[in-house]
Amino acid sequence: MTTQSTYELPFKVDNAWCPGCGNFGILNTVKKTLAEIDIPQQNVVFSSGIGQAAKLPQYVHANYFNGLHGRALPVATAIKASNPELLVIAEGGDGDMYGEGGNHFLHTIRRNVDIVHLVHNNMIYGLTKGQASPTSQRGMVTPLQINGVSLEPANPLAVALSYGAGFIARVFSGDTKEMQEIISEAVKYKGYALIDIFPPCVSFNKINTYKWFKENTYYVSDDYDNTSFEQALGKAFEKEKLPMGILYKNPDQKKSFTEHLVAYKNNSKALYERTVNTKKLQELVDTI
Amino acid sequence: MKKDITIVLSGEAGQGIKTVEKLFIHSLQEEKLHFFSTSEVMSRVRGGNNTTEIRIGSPVIQSFKESIDVLIVLGKNGTERVQHRLHKDSRIIGEEKNIPESIATSFSTTYVPFKDIANEAGNPVLTNTVILGYVLGMLGLQQKIGKKQLQKTFKEKEEKIITQNIEALKKGYEIGKDAVIKIDLPRTKSTPDKIILNGTQAIGLGAIAGGCNFMAAYPMSPGTGVLEFLAHQAETFGIVVEQAEDEIAAINMVLGSWYAGGRAMTTTSGGGFALMEEGISLSGMTEVPSVTHIGMRPGPATGLPTRTEQGDLMLAVFAGHGEFPKIVLAPGSLDECIHISQKAFDLAATYGVPVIILSDQFLLDSYSLTEKPDFSDTSYKKHITKTTKKFETYKITENGISPRGVPGHGNGFVCVDSDEHDETGRITEDADVRTAMMEKRLKKNKLITQHVIEPTIIGDSNFSTLIISWGSTYGVIAEALENKKIKGLAYAHFSQVFPLPNITKKLTEQAKRIVVIENNASGQFAKLIQMELGIKIHENILQYNGFPFSIEHITSVIDSELSRISKK
Ligand SMILES: Cc1ncc(C[n+]2csc(CCOP(=O)(O)OP(=O)(O)O)c2C)c(N)n1
Ligand code: SF4
């Protein structure tokens, strides 16, 4: 087992987040949780997009592919499919994952790729300085939506459920214990696992503040049955107060994306360990 | 006696022209005959008019011919679009109801009730087999060879289907024999060393030989074939094949796979590639390799979805924002499709750059015979190092190439970044680091140009006139030059179009007159050469009607260049 300090960077980097940003809570808990999971550190890979949230992997001592805005999920999918041994964590903001990358969000769920999907849902665009995100509340005034947001906020949890996601959770960025438990469960889950996280953006979101999240969220009770799809769907549509915790965990685990791939039917090696079978290639040439 | 023949099958979509084509060309191979078969189809699933042209003759034949010797009409609209291609000795064959009287009376026409004959043999669906029999008989080829093809094709079907097909073949053959054409087709000696392929299969084979083990793409004609080809080989060769939700996902999957140690490829056409451009730029910035195949079709926008053009050269060469090295390849023959597709993986892995393969509908969908590739000692360098604790993804090296690590292989961490980054892969805005990293990436250009794929040069080394082309126009130009005294003229075919091979400068400096032949409207390769070398191009031969250049067109271009030379 590794110790916590191993996920701490051995060198200094300049952190780009504002003091007090909810992202810090996520970063610390992610590092802490990983340190307690029994997996070689070299096998941990982050795939992130662009945004304040998407910078998280820069601050963790692990592998990462910090790619394009919105595109973390296809990258994560391919990493997992190319080496199923790796623990792949796709990570980014609500704009990144539910906006620019919305189509990938839908289809990654359908593929049931065995990854952990962390979304920092701060209900605003942080990096580009305060425009509305897909989850911004109606009426929120921003430097761009000067008369207030008029669009219906997206409901990522309901979308994920309806596209067949088997693991859905929500948590507040400051709740270390709960987040740790949820991430550990998501890592264990053999399939796509969505964790929608609320990190307040202290610089731009003056509505969904630390106080607002405290007052407008609650954790589902111990006797909540998170194996029930209907109950989970009900929770996803609750608006008065936003439910948190593991809201759905499908007990009938479907095969994951990599388990379906015929590339692994006769060969369990990761792609980088393979070479082309020249004998079979010559046979193909002879019979084409 | 005539030594070659051009046969065109003309019918509606869904009538099974492709089946006749397949059975027929395999029969030709058995007969040791050389052929070239090219199709043009309308963008619809039923109806309309599709044609397949099969040319039989010497091994030089590798292009589309305008002039039709035998037109076999399969459906109602079978003559209208091709009648201008008939000549005084052309023959038309088909059901009476499908051939308008005005046409029937102007040409030598034979009415053959294909469908009734098929019914006699037991089933109207046997029409295609009757036609196959007819054509074999008409060309004086052996019936038993057609029989063998049918047995092979239907080997998994019930006995009755096979006997009915053989009966249909026989009936067609008998009537065809009565209309035999006097012709002396040259036999090749060594067909066992040749195989039938189209460009799609050739690119697919090359990819597997190059170690391709990951393919993600979104269907778009004419690029889809390579995706389907690899899907069929996925289990045998252990290839991850996925239909992505869009082209943006496809290119990002390709990058994710290479990052994790895969050898990945995507395939598309111009429209899909336009969506991938940000990903190509990401490949340049992260130095994560990528291989992208673009099967070109005429644009802009949806354009002519099922037809051919070379209109996306500039798109490929200038793909992606920012400045970074990339390689653009353009095979011109089946043999080049195989070897260039194979090589693309090696180049991508060696330099950590995006590699783009440009083909087009004509090249991808045309069938011909090609030298059987020998893959028995195929191997490749993976260019992967086992990382140590001190591993740095973007280590600055003399030649700009940093050793490539993959996550999970070694003790180090592989950290790639689309932001400007330092050697550890961390975001930076330090101006000195930025400059150093730009120089590191761009430095790879020097190595790339030292190891280019050289152009193929045909003709007189003492040339004063130089014909230049790239990609799929190779076949038609090479055919037009064959058996010609080409004093004073040379032809350079480029299968690497970017970066330009260094020899281009020497070639163009020697030439007093430069003619560039391209299947597009604005002379894109000519412009690229002008831009890179500052030389003058004297003439552009262009075509952008959705069809490939015909042998007649290119022959006349070459004849006029040759007479221009001899007049001097
Ligand atoms: C293709 C593209 N479009 C736009 C941008 C600009 N951009 C960067 S991050 C971002 C949104 C950031 O919001 P979010 O993903 O919610 O992350 P946050 O910064 O709030 O953590 C945008 C629009 C970009 N980098 N790339
Ligand atoms: S802008 Fe908002 S989200 Fe970004 S670091 Fe600052 S507080 Fe956090």
Side-chain angles (χ1 to χ4, degrees):
Chain A
M1 196 176 273
T2 48
T3 55
Q4 182 187 341
S5 62
T6 56
Y7 284 86
E8 301 293 341
L9 286 175
F11 47 84
K12 248 181 88 73
V13 292
D14 179 24
N15 189 303
W17 294 334
C18 314
C21 173
N23 289 341
F24 286 106
I26 304 177
L27 173 63
N28 290 333
T29 310
V30 164
K31 286 193 287 196
K32 203 166 150 171
T33 314
L34 285 175
E36 285 168 17
I37 292 172
D38 190 14
I39 177 161
Q41 195 173 347
Q42 279 71 25
N43 284 7
V44 175
V45 186
F46 286 85
S47 169
S48 72
I50 296 296
Q52 288 292 74
K55 288 177 184 159
L56 180 142
Q58 304 265 336
Y59 313 134
V60 183
H61 201 36
N63 300 286
Y64 65 76
F65 188 116
N66 192 168
L68 297 172
H69 186 47
R71 315 303 166 197
L73 287 172
V75 171
T77 299
I79 294 171
K80 187 73 187 176
S82 301
N83 185 354
E85 291 285 294
L86 301 173
L87 166 61
V88 183
I89 303 170
E91 185 273 342
D94 44 330
D96 210 9
M97 297 294 185
Y98 303 147
E100 184 88 50
N103 198 27
H104 311 310
F105 176 50
L106 303 182
H107 297 282
T108 306
I109 296 171
R110 288 183 53 229
R111 282 190 188 99
N112 194 29
V113 190
D114 186 12
I115 58 171
V116 176
H117 188 191
L118 304 178
V119 185
H120 302 216
N121 183 359
N122 58 9
M123 306 177 179
I124 198 131
Y125 280 14
L127 183 60
T128 49
K129 302 199 162 46
Q131 304 83 1
S133 92
T135 51
S136 293
Q137 287 184 8
R138 272 219 165 106
M140 178 193 259
V141 174
T142 80
L144 178 58
Q145 286 75 19
I146 50 177
N147 298 315
V149 172
S150 63
L151 279 68
E152 178 70 20
N155 188 335
L157 301 195
V159 168
L161 279 167
S162 64
Y163 268 75
F167 185 105
I168 287 170
R170 192 148 61 187
V171 68
F172 178 67
S173 63
D175 295 337
T176 310
K177 192 171 107 334
E178 289 80 357
M179 199 192 310
Q180 221 177 327
E181 194 186 305
I182 290 172
I183 296 177
S184 308
E185 285 298 306
V187 168
K188 273 187 236 147
Y189 186 77
K190 288 261 156 277
Y192 170 83
L194 172 65
I195 309 175
D196 188 59
I197 313 173
F198 291 145
C201 168
V202 294
S203 296
F204 297 109
N205 193 332
K206 303 298 179 196
I207 297 177
N208 311 103
T209 57
Y210 278 90
K211 184 158 168 277
W212 185 93
F213 281 114
K214 276 276 163 282
E215 288 166 359
N216 289 280
T217 60
Y218 73 97
Y219 282 98
V220 289
S221 63
D222 285 347
D223 55 7
Y224 168 75
D225 177 12
N226 66 18
T227 64
S228 157
F229 179 78
E230 287 71 24
Q231 289 209 35
L233 206 55
K235 288 288 170 206
F237 280 103
E238 278 182 21
K239 281 187 185 156
E240 266 312 276
K241 273 189 159 207
L242 302 169
M244 302 197 296
I246 298 178
L247 301 178
Y248 186 55
K249 198 171 154 191
N250 188 346
D252 318 319
Q253 285 211 344
K254 295 176 286 182
K255 266 191 182 179
S256 76
F257 179 60
T258 32
E259 288 169 317
H260 280 288
L261 292 171
V262 295
Y264 292 100
K265 208 168 148 188
N266 311 313
N267 188 348
S268 60
K269 278 189 192 159
L271 299 188
Y272 80 87
E273 296 174 298
R274 300 184 184 194
T275 49
V276 62
N277 184 332
T278 50
K279 199 168 146 265
K280 288 206 169 132
L281 183 55
Q282 206 57 46
E283 273 167 33
L284 174 62
V285 168
D286 290 336
T287 53
I288 204 162
Chain B
M1 213 189 294
K2 225 171 126 56
K3 285 195 173 313
D4 62 79
I5 188 163
T6 303
I7 302 170
V8 169
L9 299 160
S10 179
E12 293 169 26
Q15 274 190 329
I17 297 185
K18 285 265 130 205
T19 325
V20 185
E21 179 193 21
K22 189 169 167 238
L23 291 164
F24 185 44
I25 60 179
H26 279 89
S27 306
L28 294 172
Q29 185 191 21
E30 287 276 323
E31 283 269 15
K32 299 194 188 326
L33 289 169
H34 185 87
F35 67 87
F36 182 83
S37 177
T38 181
S39 301
E40 54 96 21
V41 305
M42 285 187 151
S43 183
R44 49 198 284 178
V45 178
R46 294 261 155 214
N49 171 241
N50 296 344
T51 68
T52 293
E53 172 180 290
I54 299 156
R55 296 179 63 201
I56 312 167
S58 81
V60 176
I61 285 181
Q62 45 191 328
S63 67
F64 167 72
K65 189 168 181 179
E66 189 75 24
S67 166
I68 300 172
D69 298 319
V70 178
L71 175 65
I72 298 172
V73 184
L74 279 81
K76 266 204 286 304
N77 308 318
T79 52
E80 223 176 296
R81 286 173 63 248
V82 290
Q83 55 179 310
H84 67 281
R85 294 170 53 194
L86 298 169
H87 55 83
K88 69 175 193 352
D89 298 323
S90 297
R91 283 201 198 183
I92 304 179
I93 296 146
E95 311 240 355
E96 189 168 357
K97 67 172 191 321
N98 290 333
I99 306 172
E101 212 187 307
S102 59
I103 295 180
T105 50
S106 319
F107 298 93
S108 149
T109 301
T110 315
Y111 296 131
V112 183
F114 290 125
K115 201 162 197 166
D116 292 344
I117 302 170
N119 270 324
E120 276 170 37
N123 196 331
V125 301
L126 298 166
T127 306
N128 291 323
T129 310
V130 178
I131 294 171
L132 175 69
Y134 185 93
V135 180
L136 293 178
M138 179 186 76
L139 293 175
L141 305 177
Q142 303 171 74
Q143 189 184 156
K144 65 168 194 238
I145 278 170
K147 195 169 142 189
K148 192 170 149 194
Q149 290 308 322
L150 289 170
Q151 278 162 337
K152 216 163 94 185
T153 308
F154 298 114
K155 68 170 182 281
E156 258 130 54
K157 296 270 159 63
E158 54 185 296
E159 192 57 36
K160 190 174 149 213
I161 292 184
I162 299 178
T163 36
Q164 281 185 345
N165 267 284
I166 291 172
E167 183 59 21
L169 180 85
K170 191 171 150 216
K171 286 183 185 294
Y173 191 86
E174 294 302 326
I175 319 170
K177 224 169 60 181
D178 294 340
V180 72
I181 295 177
K182 294 238 167 349
I183 190 164
D184 179 23
L185 298 170
R187 257 62 181 177
T188 54
K189 268 173 260 136
S190 54
T191 41
D193 296 337
K194 302 222 165 178
I195 51 169
I196 298 180
L197 289 180
N198 65 10
T200 298
Q201 295 169 320
I203 287 174
L205 279 179
I208 298 176
C212 177
N213 50 26
F214 189 104
M215 159 59 93
Y218 187 82
M220 185 169 191
S221 298
T224 317
V226 180
L227 169 62
E228 288 177 352
F229 180 88
L230 291 176
H232 283 94
Q233 303 308 328
E235 190 173 333
T236 313
F237 294 97
I239 307 168
V240 174
V241 178
E242 180 63 358
Q243 178 176 330
E245 56 271 30
D246 53 37
E247 289 83 353
I248 300 173
I251 185 71
N252 281 280
M253 285 181 182
V254 164
L255 294 172
S257 178
W258 274 100
Y259 165 76
R263 291 170 83 87
M265 178 187 203
T266 183
T267 177
T268 183
S269 190
F273 184 73
L275 290 175
M276 293 182 184
E277 284 203 57
E278 197 190 9
I280 297 294
S281 178
L282 180 64
S283 175
M285 181 51 135
T286 54
E287 304 185 52
V288 172
S290 61
V291 176
T292 301
H293 168 240
I294 309 176
M296 291 180 285
R297 70 192 213 190
T302 309
L304 294 167
T306 58
R307 304 200 182 274
T308 204
E309 198 159 277
Q310 295 183 301
D312 298 329
L313 175 68
M314 290 298 196
L315 175 73
V317 168
F318 296 111
H321 55 293
E323 298 162 298
F324 56 93
K326 73 166 85 69
I327 300 173
V328 185
L329 308 173
S333 63
L334 292 170
D335 190 57
E336 281 190 355
C337 282
I338 298 171
H339 294 108
I340 280 183
S341 172
Q342 180 177 5
K343 176 112 185 170
F345 286 83
D346 188 48
L347 293 172
T350 309
Y351 302 115
V353 296
V355 178
I356 298 165
I357 304 168
L358 280 172
S359 75
D360 53 42
Q361 181 271 329
F362 172 66
L363 186 65
L364 291 169
D365 294 346
S366 298
Y367 285 90
S368 186
L369 285 167
T370 189
E371 228 40 66
K372 186 187 277 191
D374 179 8
F375 291 126
S376 52
D377 56 358
T378 294
S379 66
Y380 48 81
K381 276 216 188 92
K382 290 188 185 172
H383 296 284
I384 291 175
T385 26
K386 192 164 181 175
T387 57
T388 61
K389 279 214 153 65
K390 285 214 213 86
F391 179 78
E392 289 182 326
T393 311
Y394 296 106
K395 183 101 207 129
I396 299 218
T397 59
E398 187 118 3
N399 62 11
I401 300 169
S402 320
R404 173 171 160 236
V406 301
H409 183 49
N411 296 323
F413 297 110
V414 188
C415 301
V416 304
D417 205 316
S418 85
D419 282 89
E420 189 56 273
H421 40 256
D422 61 18
E423 289 180 289
T424 70
R426 259 68 195 180
I427 294 180
T428 184
E429 294 190 34
D430 181 310
D432 293 337
V433 178
R434 158 69 177 177
T435 307
M437 282 295 166
M438 277 299 275
E439 285 165 2
K440 165 195 184 334
R441 290 186 292 266
L442 292 170
K443 211 188 272 175
K444 293 192 272 185
N445 261 327
K446 201 170 148 206
L447 264 183
I448 293 169
T449 36
Q450 276 165 11
H451 298 97
V452 289
I453 304 173
E454 298 291 350
T456 305
I457 298 160
I458 301 176
D460 186 352
S461 58
N462 271 324
F463 64 87
S464 58
T465 297
L466 179 67
I467 293 179
I468 291 177
S469 88
W470 59 282
S472 72
T473 46
Y474 171 73
V476 68
I477 301 171
E479 183 183 334
L481 287 170
E482 192 73 23
N483 302 326
K484 277 221 160 76
K485 273 193 114 110
I486 39 179
K487 211 164 170 300
L489 182 138
Y491 163 45
H493 156 68
F494 286 78
S495 55
Q496 170 158 344
V497 286
F498 190 81
L500 277 182
N502 288 332
I503 196 176
T504 319
K505 190 166 189 299
K506 219 180 106 210
L507 289 171
T508 51
E509 276 170 4
Q510 181 183 334
K512 301 267 175 310
R513 178 174 161 79
I514 301 174
V515 180
V516 185
I517 302 178
E518 304 180 60
N519 217 174
N520 60 42
S522 54
Q524 298 186 16
F525 194 49
K527 280 189 183 151
L528 184 65
I529 295 172
Q530 277 172 320
M531 185 191 94
E532 295 280 292
L533 300 174
I535 53 123
K536 186 173 153 60
I537 302 290
H538 302 85
E539 184 129 5
N540 290 303
I541 306 293
L542 305 171
Q543 181 173 306
Y544 42 89
N545 59 357
F547 283 83
F549 284 107
S550 69
I551 185 66
E552 291 95 333
H553 184 170
I554 297 302
T555 303
S556 81
V557 168
I558 288 181
D559 286 345
S560 84
E561 287 306 324
L562 288 173
S563 73
R564 189 189 262 270
I565 294 167
S566 63
K567 269 188 218 131
K568 276 206 188 122

